[in-house]
């Protein structure tokens, strides 16, 4: 989580720089990027899956697939991967998978 706080601080600095340039069409994109940094500080895997699935969250700037790629870069990804996927796709591996 410490790295996530640094990512958010960096994204805030980038956003402030871009807003100082007064190029209006860039602000919404950097605002979305700034919000995306929060995926690195969310502790609960189920909440993270909800964020990934929420297509309206970033104003259409990112697709769920894009957000998922960012989430996969978390240092704890291997620990939370199954729970995120299970929640995102409503999977119950015991019930949904049949091996013949």
């Amino acid at each position: 989580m410490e790295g996530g706080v640094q990512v958010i601080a960096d994204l805030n600095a980038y956003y402030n720089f871009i807003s100082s340039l007064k190029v209006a069409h860039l602000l919404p994109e950097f605002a979305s990027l700034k919000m995306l940094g929060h995926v690195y500080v969310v502790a609960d895997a189920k909440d993270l899956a909800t964020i990934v699935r929420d297509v309206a969250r970033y104003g259409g700037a990112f697709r769920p697939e894009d957000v998922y790629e960012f989430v996969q870069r978390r240092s704890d990804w291997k620990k939370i991967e199954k729970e995120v996927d299970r929640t995102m796709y409503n999977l119950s591996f015991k019930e949904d998978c049949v091996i013949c």
Side-chain angles (χ1 to χ4, degrees):
M1 295 300 161
E2 297 152 12
V5 173
Q6 185 61 52
V7 167
I8 290 172
D10 290 346
L11 290 173
N12 285 332
Y14 298 152
Y15 179 81
N16 291 337
F17 173 72
I18 293 300
S19 59
S20 75
L21 297 176
K22 303 200 185 324
V23 181
H25 71 278
L26 290 178
L27 285 178
E29 293 179 33
F30 273 86
S32 296
L33 184 61
K34 187 171 116 171
M35 284 178 45
L36 183 62
H38 290 95
V39 301
Y40 296 106
V41 295
V42 174
D44 185 58
K46 290 180 182 182
D47 291 341
L48 201 53
T50 303
I51 290 170
V52 172
R53 283 191 317 204
D54 186 1
V55 294
R57 182 179 212 78
Y58 302 104
F62 299 106
R63 299 170 303 160
E65 298 85 15
D66 299 329
V67 179
Y68 189 79
E69 284 187 39
F70 280 93
V71 170
Q72 287 177 311
R73 302 305 177 255
R74 289 174 53 122
S75 62
D76 63 348
W77 176 244
K78 289 299 175 189
K79 291 183 211 170
I80 64 171
E81 179 179 13
K82 287 181 184 175
E83 185 64 30
V84 170
D85 288 345
R86 188 176 302 132
T87 304
M88 278 183 55
Y89 303 114
N90 292 321
L91 295 176
S92 173
F93 293 112
K94 292 179 184 176
E95 299 166 10
D96 294 341
C97 294
V98 177
I99 300 174
C100 299

